[in-house]
């Protein structure tokens, strides 16, 4: 794959410096970047930046031909130029749709750029680019960005607000909800939490809890419904454990948003207790223990059901619930 990328980058650089075209030919580069795994984005961005810079220098025409060279083109690869001025210029000059997920991701990642003016340009232009780009490309890029932005050291709240604004666009929100439910792999529970910063999931959380392919996502959706809130990791902050020896750790910073929907807990317990995954049933059993005093006689029905579960963690919680119910009954009798 590296060889394909390098070859495509060189061809693109040659088309820029050939002087025969007003618009550089990106077709091969687009085809190749379509195949790149976004999980290794840092590596591909560094590789393409280096190879593009080198290829431009090598393909420059001789000095005696410079007068035939067309006006300097602004390209999507200028978004990762070594030169911050070029990155800013590219963001402000580019218009229309990003050609694929990879190139839209390049624009999104400028929200974490080390140059403040570039981040400002990204904030200004990203919503416009997103509206012009295929929603599928936008959604794929956003899924990666939202799963990783807590590790971005330079992104600010105002930059995150830009992505949240894009997320709330009707078609984007619809595609994100569909992806959450249908994805069999990927960090969907983490994505669910980050999307919970907005209200785009509120009316669909019950659907996600019932029909999401990933058990861990169904469990997270049920927990959110039970607790009436969505919780996400805001970031990390340094906490000293022993300042005398300069020892410490990064502590997660958690935030939450209250849900405006209310589903009867008994109904949620009925559905979650019968889920095909023990991950979901375990959450259901935990809620049962928490709500033992509020469920009346039906609490024992659920406790016995969990106590006969084949999953050991669920079985343990069911046994514990029965023990607590028995203790409560003995206390009432005495």
């Amino acid at each position: 794959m590296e060889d394909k990328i390098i070859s495509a980058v060189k061809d693109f650089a040659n088309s820029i410096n050939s002087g025969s075209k007003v618009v550089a030919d990106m077709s091969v580069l687009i085809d190749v970047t379509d195949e790149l795994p976004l999980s290794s984005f840092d590596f591909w961005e560094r590789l393409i930046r280096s190879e593009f810079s080198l290829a431009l220098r090598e393909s420059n025409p001789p000095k005696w031909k410079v007068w035939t060279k067309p006006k300097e083109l602004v390209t999507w690869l200028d978004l990762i130029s070594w030169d911050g001025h070029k990155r800013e210029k590219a963001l402000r000059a580019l218009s229309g749709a990003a050609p694929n997920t990879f190139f839209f991701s390049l624009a999104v990642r400028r929200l974490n750029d080390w140059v403040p003016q570039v981040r400002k340009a990204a904030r200004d232009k990203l919503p416009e680019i997103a509206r012009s780009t295929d929603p599928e490309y936008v959604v794929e890029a956003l899924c990666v960005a939202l799963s990783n932005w807590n590790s971005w050291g330079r992104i600010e709240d105002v930059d995150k607000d830009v992505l949240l604004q894009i997320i709330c666009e009707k078609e984007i929100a619809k595609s994100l909800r569909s992806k959450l439910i249908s994805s069999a792999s990927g960090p969907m529970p983490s994505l669910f939490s980050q999307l919970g910063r907005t209200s785009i999931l509120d009316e669909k959380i019950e659907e996600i809890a019932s029909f999401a392919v990933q058990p861990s996502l169904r469990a997270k959706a049920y927990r959110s419904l039970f607790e009436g809130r969505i919780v996400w990791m805001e970031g990390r902050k340094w906490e000293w454990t022993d300042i005398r020896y300069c020892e410490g750790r990064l502590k997660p910073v958690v935030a939450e948003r209250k849900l405006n929907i209310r589903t009867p807990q008994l109904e949620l317990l009925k559905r979650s207790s019968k889920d095909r995954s023990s991950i979901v049933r375990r959450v259901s059993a935990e809620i049962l223990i928490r709500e033992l005093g509020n469920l009346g006689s039906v609490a024992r029905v659920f406790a016995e059901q969990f106590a006969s579960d084949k999953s050991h963690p669920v079985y343990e919680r069911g046994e514990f619930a029965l023990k607590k119910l028995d203790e409560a009954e003995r206390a009432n009798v005495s």
Side-chain angles (χ1 to χ4, degrees), residues 37-57:
L38 298 182
S39 57
S40 306
F41 212 100
D42 285 338
F43 170 79
W44 297 117
E45 186 174 306
R46 288 195 300 270
L47 175 67
I48 292 172
R49 180 190 294 119
S50 298
E51 292 297 331
F52 186 54
S53 178
L54 177 63
L56 283 177
R57 290 197 301 270

Side-chain angles (χ1 to χ4, degrees), residues 209-210 215 218 222 271-278 280-281:
S210 298
R218 297 200 303 276
Y222 269 120
R271 284 167 18 203
S272 58
S273 67
K274 296 177 181 177
D275 192 274
R276 60 189 179 278
S277 170
S278 63
V280 179
R281 298 197 301 277

Side-chain angles (χ1 to χ4, degrees), residues 277-316:
S277 170
S278 63
I279 297 174
V280 179
R281 298 197 301 277
R282 185 172 63 193
V283 170
S284 187
E286 288 175 8
I287 300 300
L288 170 66
I289 293 171
R290 190 188 74 183
E291 299 295 329
L292 277 177
N294 301 321
L295 292 173
S297 60
V298 75
R300 183 170 291 276
V301 176
F302 283 114
E304 290 174 348
Q305 177 183 333
F306 291 133
S308 63
D309 199 281
K310 294 180 180 179
S311 167
H312 187 68
V314 179
Y315 160 81
E316 281 187 326

Side-chain angles (χ1 to χ4, degrees), residues 113-286:
D113 200 277
W114 56 91
V115 178
Q117 291 85 346
V118 177
R119 295 200 297 273
K120 174 65 165 60
R123 290 196 295 269
D124 293 343
K125 291 290 290 188
L126 263 177
E128 175 188 328
I129 295 173
R131 283 192 291 271
S132 303
T133 301
D134 186 326
E136 182 180 343
Y137 300 156
V138 176
V139 167
E140 289 295 327
L142 288 177
C143 287
V144 175
L146 291 173
S147 298
N148 292 285
W149 69 358
N150 284 326
S151 65
W152 290 3
R154 290 170 292 271
I155 191 169
E156 302 173 51
D157 287 343
V158 67
D159 303 313
K160 291 182 178 181
D161 287 343
V162 171
L163 293 185
L164 295 177
Q165 173 190 338
I166 295 171
I167 285 168
C168 291
E169 293 287 337
K170 184 177 179 180
E171 288 303 315
I172 302 300
K174 181 179 178 181
S175 295
L176 282 167
R177 290 191 293 262
S178 176
K179 184 174 180 64
L180 277 175
I181 293 173
S182 63
S183 294
S185 61
M188 294 303 111
S190 173
L191 179 62
F192 173 88
S193 295
Q194 293 298 333
L195 292 176
R197 293 167 177 261
T198 74
S199 61
I200 68 167
L201 300 181
D202 286 11
E203 301 302 321
K204 297 291 183 178
I205 296 182
E206 290 191 42
E207 183 180 346
I208 293 169
S210 298
F211 300 111
V213 173
Q214 287 192 31
S216 53
L217 175 56
R218 297 200 303 276
K220 198 169 191 69
Y222 269 120
R223 187 178 292 280
S224 296
L225 288 168
F226 278 122
E227 297 179 351
R229 61 177 183 158
I230 293 185
V231 179
W232 64 87
M233 193 173 78
E234 189 72 50
R236 297 179 185 274
K237 69 176 182 179
W238 183 258
E239 181 183 72
W240 292 106
T241 54
D242 194 330
I243 197 167
R244 294 172 301 173
Y245 299 102
C246 296
E247 294 178 352
R249 62 184 178 183
L250 285 172
K251 182 180 179 181
V253 178
V254 176
E256 67 176 57
R257 183 178 66 84
K258 298 295 183 183
L259 292 175
N260 294 321
I261 54 174
R262 289 290 182 270
T263 305
Q265 289 210 334
L266 185 57
E267 179 62 30
L268 290 175
L269 272 171
K270 287 179 179 178
R271 284 167 18 203
S272 58
S273 67
K274 296 177 181 177
D275 192 274
R276 60 189 179 278
S277 170
S278 63
I279 297 174
V280 179
R281 298 197 301 277
R282 185 172 63 193
V283 170
S284 187
E286 288 175 8

